Amino acid sequence: MRLSILLLLALAAPAWAQRVAFFPSDESPQAAYAEGRLVEALAEQGYEVLADRTDYDHLVSLVIHSERLGAEAFQIVPEGRMISVVGGDARGMIYGALALAEAIGNGTPLAEVEAVEESPALEFRGIKFNLPWETYRPSSALTQHTETARDPAYWEAFLDMMVENRFNVVSLWNLHPYTFMVRPTNFPEASPWSEAEQAEWEALYREIFRLAKERALDTYIVHWSIFVSEAFAEAHDVAETNFYPHYYVPGDTTEIVRRYLRESVRQVLEAYPDLDGVGISHGEGMAGMTPLERQRWMDDVLIAGMLEADRPVKLIHRVPFSSGTSSDPGVSGDVEEVTRAAMERLEDRFDGPIWVEMKFNWSHAHSTPELVKVHGGELGDTYFDPLPTNYRIVWQMRNEDFFALRWGVPSFIREHVARNGEAAYVGGYFVGSETYIPALDYFTALDEPVDWRWAFERQWLFYKLWGRLLYDPATPDAVFQAEFDRRYGEAGANLLNALSLASSTQLRLASLYDAMWDFTLYSEGFLALQGDSTRYISVDRLIEQPTMDPDYVSVGEFVATMQSGGSFGADRVTPPILADMLERDGREALRLVDGVDTSGDASLRYEVADVQTWAHLGLHLAEKLRGAVALQTYRLDGAEADHAAAIDHLERALSHWDEVVAITRPLYRDMPLTHYNHGGFEANPDNLFHWALVRDEVARDVEIARRSRPD
């Protein structure tokens, strides 16, 4: 097959093309993949790729040299007509090949390729991917992706993106994966599928894992705890609600459930040799159990099933867990000690370190780079002191804040890694969402050609920034700007800087507005869970809400302190200071894209429009903060000048929202949003979001100000 492709490329090449031959490393799938990606890059630039090593202009050597380089490291060594791509392992060789392909794609001739040597800063660089079947939270925003996520072509593209950006772990999450992956030998009644349907599911998983292994990616299935298939529950009259779509349910600890899950874990690991590991969680599906009972159940069932498999297994162990007997979040020193002791008892029985996953700042990691809390509250130092020997911490950078708009703030990621990624107990990061799946493009409204097919391709910069900066935080902005240049030429010259300035709006809102679990904030929509309802953050809510970042000052605290004659130190970010920052960066972002000609290029139009949208959202927040300060001051001192200022600023805030609507209405569809499940556990059919749909809620701020009177 490879020979026929090369012959076709040679026949199609122009007569003037320089000829390139390959000296492959070996016959492994990873070497074939690395060479194939280079062949594509060379062919796109007009090189003739030879089927043998005779009469070449350039010879590319792909080789693994584990004595010279460490794991995942690579070198590009140009020497005359020969370019050697050397990897410390197969993964490093692929990274080197893709780095060379990137240089070629950016217009660097082979004769001018420069020497490069790179190695990873962090060992674990993962994607959290929630599968749309038996999702954690029922919602049409999630299930709409089912057909896309069952398409192997989608996975080929998604995994290509991962390895290009030097992610090395793909984790697939859902409530109960085993029903889709095996028909358990002793429990065939657990499968709801026909033989043909079961075979289709199994073929899909095998193909995902095969594609991942070809790209040297580690694969995990991650799930919650005591969940079974509905067919199993009905057949044995057990686990009455321990199946999709339920999730906050009691733990069923009967022996038949234990055996079913233990055997399912073992059989899946034995049936899928390309699957590397399993992730576990002591949370949902275990209500009514004490933390110690949950740990003992986990050891007796899921851990036991993994260790019974006759093969090496990797483990992701999620912490912290509920400190009581409910499914509610909570942190506790006692639970931390129990969990640490349980992991240490496992010693080195798993393949490599146990990866201990913690949510950074709960579900809103794109906020402040300071660790304020994890799932449930402030974390103690039990997991860190003394230094662990058989596990490493992996920060979960959950994103429940932006799905439609493009995002890219490289300085935030660099600072985050510098502050949180360099400790000896840290192994790396996850990036991903609970309430969003990057599969089906359900955003794009324009009926014009664009350069993406799937949702993740729209957010190409988000993934490129996180992946490349986790591999090497010193990666310069020029690497990311080069991709804008390649895509858009001179029109893209200012886009990285503009997007970095504009999408900082999201980080600042999430730092200003304290949030917890998934639905408590949706930054790009300025929505938050208030009581049992998800709605626009009103001026009153903004005044009352405490901050996430301890350096930020809430409106309520600021006004009360100023009214009492107090002040704030230079290290504090007060609402007036934040408003000025937002206005400065928003205005500059708009200036940078002013005059960019997007006619005839719909993809560029979306890039520019997203900069403009974030910028106006930032200007909206700036005016809203000024209006909130003036309104709260008026309520306390009764000065009519403050009342007039509040109305004026909130009217200006509304005008910026109207700009957002004008920009996004022709570009974005009304989009299903999981957050509109509100505080409940059931899917809400009335769940469409667009900035235009909440305009009346935004306008209500002006009326709140007009009707306000001094306290």
Side-chain angles (χ1 to χ4, degrees):
M1 176 64 76
R2 175 180 168 271
L3 181 60
S4 62
I5 292 173
L6 292 178
L7 288 172
L8 286 172
L9 289 171
L11 290 172
W16 50 264
Q18 289 188 309
R19 298 176 297 278
V20 182
F22 276 84
F23 203 134
S25 171
D26 52 45
E27 297 300 320
S28 69
Q30 293 77 29
Y33 178 77
E35 182 177 343
R37 294 299 303 275
L38 266 174
V39 166
E40 292 173 5
L42 289 164
E44 287 176 1
Q45 295 300 314
Y47 288 91
E48 178 185 352
V49 181
L50 302 174
D52 55 42
R53 295 193 299 276
T54 58
D55 196 25
Y56 60 80
D57 297 300
H58 301 279
L59 177 63
V60 178
S61 169
L62 298 172
V63 65
I64 295 173
H65 197 328
S66 58
E67 296 300 321
R68 178 189 297 181
L69 299 172
E72 300 187 311
F74 70 88
Q75 292 177 321
I76 299 175
V77 185
E79 297 173 314
R81 294 195 299 159
M82 183 172 178
I83 299 176
S84 296
V85 177
V86 186
D89 53 14
R91 188 174 288 162
M93 179 182 62
I94 291 175
Y95 292 163
L98 292 173
L100 179 56
E102 181 178 71
I104 294 167
N106 288 338
T108 303
L110 282 180
E112 298 177 16
V113 167
E114 296 182 352
V116 175
E117 181 170 349
E118 296 190 34
S119 58
L122 292 160
E123 187 176 351
F124 188 108
R125 307 180 301 280
I127 293 286
K128 166 185 165 59
F129 192 106
N130 275 28
L131 294 168
W133 42 91
E134 295 201 354
T135 57
Y136 175 61
R137 297 191 182 281
S139 172
S140 63
L142 303 176
T143 56
Q144 66 177 333
H145 298 279
T146 298
E147 182 179 352
T148 303
R150 293 190 69 172
D151 182 354
Y154 167 78
W155 286 104
E156 184 172 12
F158 188 82
L159 299 175
D160 276 344
M161 176 278 295
M162 285 189 61
V163 72
E164 286 166 9
N165 294 323
R166 301 181 197 169
F167 289 103
N168 61 6
V169 173
V170 57
S171 57
L172 307 178
W173 301 51
N174 63 347
L175 277 189
H176 182 64
Y178 306 107
T179 304
F180 301 91
M181 301 178 73
V182 293
R183 190 185 298 274
T185 303
N186 291 320
F187 298 99
E189 69 277 11
S191 174
W193 319 113
S194 67
E195 291 290 341
E197 290 170 332
Q198 184 77 48
E200 287 178 3
W201 281 113
E202 292 180 13
L204 173 64
Y205 277 92
R206 291 186 197 284
E207 181 64 2
I208 294 172
F209 298 147
R210 183 195 70 78
L211 290 167
K213 192 62 61 180
E214 181 181 59
R215 290 154 179 77
L217 296 165
D218 285 347
T219 52
Y220 292 80
I221 53 171
V222 186
H223 59 99
W224 289 265
S225 301
I226 309 181
F227 291 97
V228 300
S229 69
E230 186 173 3
F232 175 88
E234 292 178 350
H236 300 284
D237 196 25
V238 293
E240 294 180 359
T241 54
N242 294 73
F243 49 82
Y244 181 80
H246 314 287
Y247 52 95
Y248 276 2
V249 296
D252 187 312
T253 60
T254 56
E255 280 300 318
I256 193 169
V257 171
R258 289 174 181 263
R259 180 173 179 180
Y260 163 66
L261 287 171
R262 189 180 76 252
E263 292 189 8
S264 293
V265 172
R266 176 181 57 79
Q267 289 178 42
V268 160
L269 287 168
E270 292 175 348
Y272 294 88
D274 287 338
L275 171 63
D276 292 288
V278 178
I280 59 174
S281 173
H282 297 49
E284 288 78 1
M286 301 186 98
M289 302 170 68
T290 67
L292 185 58
E293 288 172 335
R294 297 178 195 220
Q295 185 62 59
R296 288 173 174 169
W297 184 95
M298 196 67 63
D299 293 342
D300 184 56
V301 181
L302 300 185
I303 295 291
M306 293 179 221
L307 294 174
E308 287 169 3
D310 186 22
R311 49 162 288 191
V313 181
K314 298 178 184 291
L315 175 63
I316 293 171
H317 196 298
R318 306 187 68 208
V319 302
F321 307 110
S322 301
S323 54
T325 58
S326 73
S327 296
D328 294 332
V331 292
S332 161
D334 292 341
V335 175
E336 291 170 10
E337 290 175 4
V338 166
T339 309
R340 173 165 184 158
M343 292 190 294
E344 289 178 335
R345 282 195 301 273
L346 294 171
E347 297 179 325
D348 296 322
R349 301 178 72 186
F350 284 93
D351 182 16
I354 298 169
W355 302 113
V356 177
E357 179 257 354
M358 296 181 181
K359 296 179 188 174
F360 195 99
N361 287 342
W362 213 322
S363 294
H364 303 276
H366 294 81
S367 52
T368 170
E370 179 174 345
L371 179 61
V372 178
K373 55 184 147 185
V374 292
H375 184 89
E378 187 175 351
L379 187 69
D381 63 358
T382 306
Y383 294 113
F384 314 135
D385 186 15
L387 285 175
T389 58
N390 71 329
Y391 69 82
R392 306 270 294 284
I393 303 300
V394 178
W395 300 120
Q396 174 69 267
M397 300 297 291
R398 284 275 293 274
N399 167 35
E400 315 304 338
D401 289 282
F402 51 90
F403 312 141
L405 299 178
R406 290 154 179 80
W407 181 98
V409 188
S411 60
F412 168 77
I413 300 173
R414 291 192 188 96
E415 182 181 358
H416 204 290
V417 174
R419 294 176 63 168
N420 305 287
E422 296 181 356
Y425 53 78
V426 174
Y429 283 71
F430 274 107
V431 180
S433 305
E434 198 78 76
T435 59
Y436 166 65
I437 297 174
L440 176 71
D441 174 14
Y442 59 102
F443 307 104
T444 304
L446 279 184
D447 188 19
E448 299 177 24
V450 291
D451 60 7
W452 63 83
R453 177 179 176 187
W454 291 293
F456 75 88
E457 294 171 315
R458 301 175 64 262
Q459 287 279 11
W460 65 267
L461 182 62
F462 171 85
Y463 291 105
K464 196 174 192 71
L465 287 174
W466 268 113
R468 295 293 290 271
L469 292 173
L470 290 179
Y471 182 87
D472 180 7
T475 302
D477 281 357
V479 169
F480 310 114
Q481 180 57 50
E483 182 64 20
F484 280 107
D485 296 341
R486 187 188 67 79
R487 289 168 178 255
Y488 306 117
E490 292 183 3
N494 294 327
L495 283 178
L496 177 63
N497 191 17
L499 187 60
S500 178
L501 290 168
S503 60
S504 292
T505 295
Q506 181 275 318
L507 297 172
R508 289 164 173 165
L509 176 60
S511 297
L512 172 70
Y513 191 98
D514 188 33
M516 299 180 295
W517 58 282
D518 310 352
F519 299 171
T520 54
L521 182 63
Y522 173 52
S523 294
E524 74 181 350
F526 274 62
L527 305 182
L529 184 67
Q530 300 165 66
D532 291 328
S533 178
T534 298
R535 58 185 187 272
Y536 173 76
I537 300 169
S538 70
V539 64
D540 284 336
R541 184 68 180 197
L542 189 65
I543 291 168
E544 300 163 2
Q545 187 72 8
T547 67
M548 168 82 82
D549 190 326
D551 289 341
Y552 277 48
V553 179
S554 71
V555 172
E557 180 189 359
F558 174 76
V559 173
T561 300
M562 300 307 289
Q563 288 288 299
S564 65
S567 62
F568 296 92
D571 59 331
R572 303 298 300 278
V573 181
T574 63
I577 290 173
L578 180 57
D580 289 346
M581 292 164 60
L582 288 160
E583 178 155 11
R584 177 198 66 206
D585 290 350
R587 297 290 182 196
E588 177 62 9
L590 290 173
R591 186 193 69 79
L592 287 170
V593 297
D594 185 37
V596 174
D597 183 5
T598 65
S599 59
D601 191 336
S603 300
L604 178 60
R605 181 177 175 187
Y606 273 94
E607 298 271 14
V608 171
D610 283 4
V611 169
Q612 295 168 330
T613 301
W614 276 126
H616 281 290
L617 287 172
L619 294 169
H620 166 80
L621 180 56
E623 293 294 349
K624 188 180 181 76
L625 282 165
R626 291 165 179 149
V629 169
L631 179 60
Q632 185 65 3
T633 303
Y634 165 67
R635 287 169 172 170
L636 295 179
D637 68 12
E640 282 303 318
D642 290 324
H643 193 200
I647 295 169
D648 179 62
H649 284 302
L650 292 173
E651 286 178 337
R652 291 172 186 267
L654 177 60
S655 70
H656 285 296
W657 195 271
D658 285 338
E659 289 290 340
V660 169
V661 172
I663 295 165
T664 59
R665 185 74 276 183
L667 299 179
Y668 284 96
R669 300 173 182 171
D670 293 351
M671 301 164 279
L673 181 66
T674 311
H675 296 62
Y676 276 139
N677 283 11
H678 306 303
F681 302 145
E682 297 182 356
N684 176 14
D686 184 18
N687 66 350
L688 294 180
F689 168 79
H690 191 283
W691 295 271
L693 300 179
V694 297
R695 199 266 181 191
D696 288 347
E697 295 180 61
V698 181
R700 201 167 297 136
D701 273 356
V702 179
E703 293 307 310
I704 290 172
R706 284 181 176 147
R707 294 174 183 174
S708 288
R709 295 294 179 266
D711 292 342

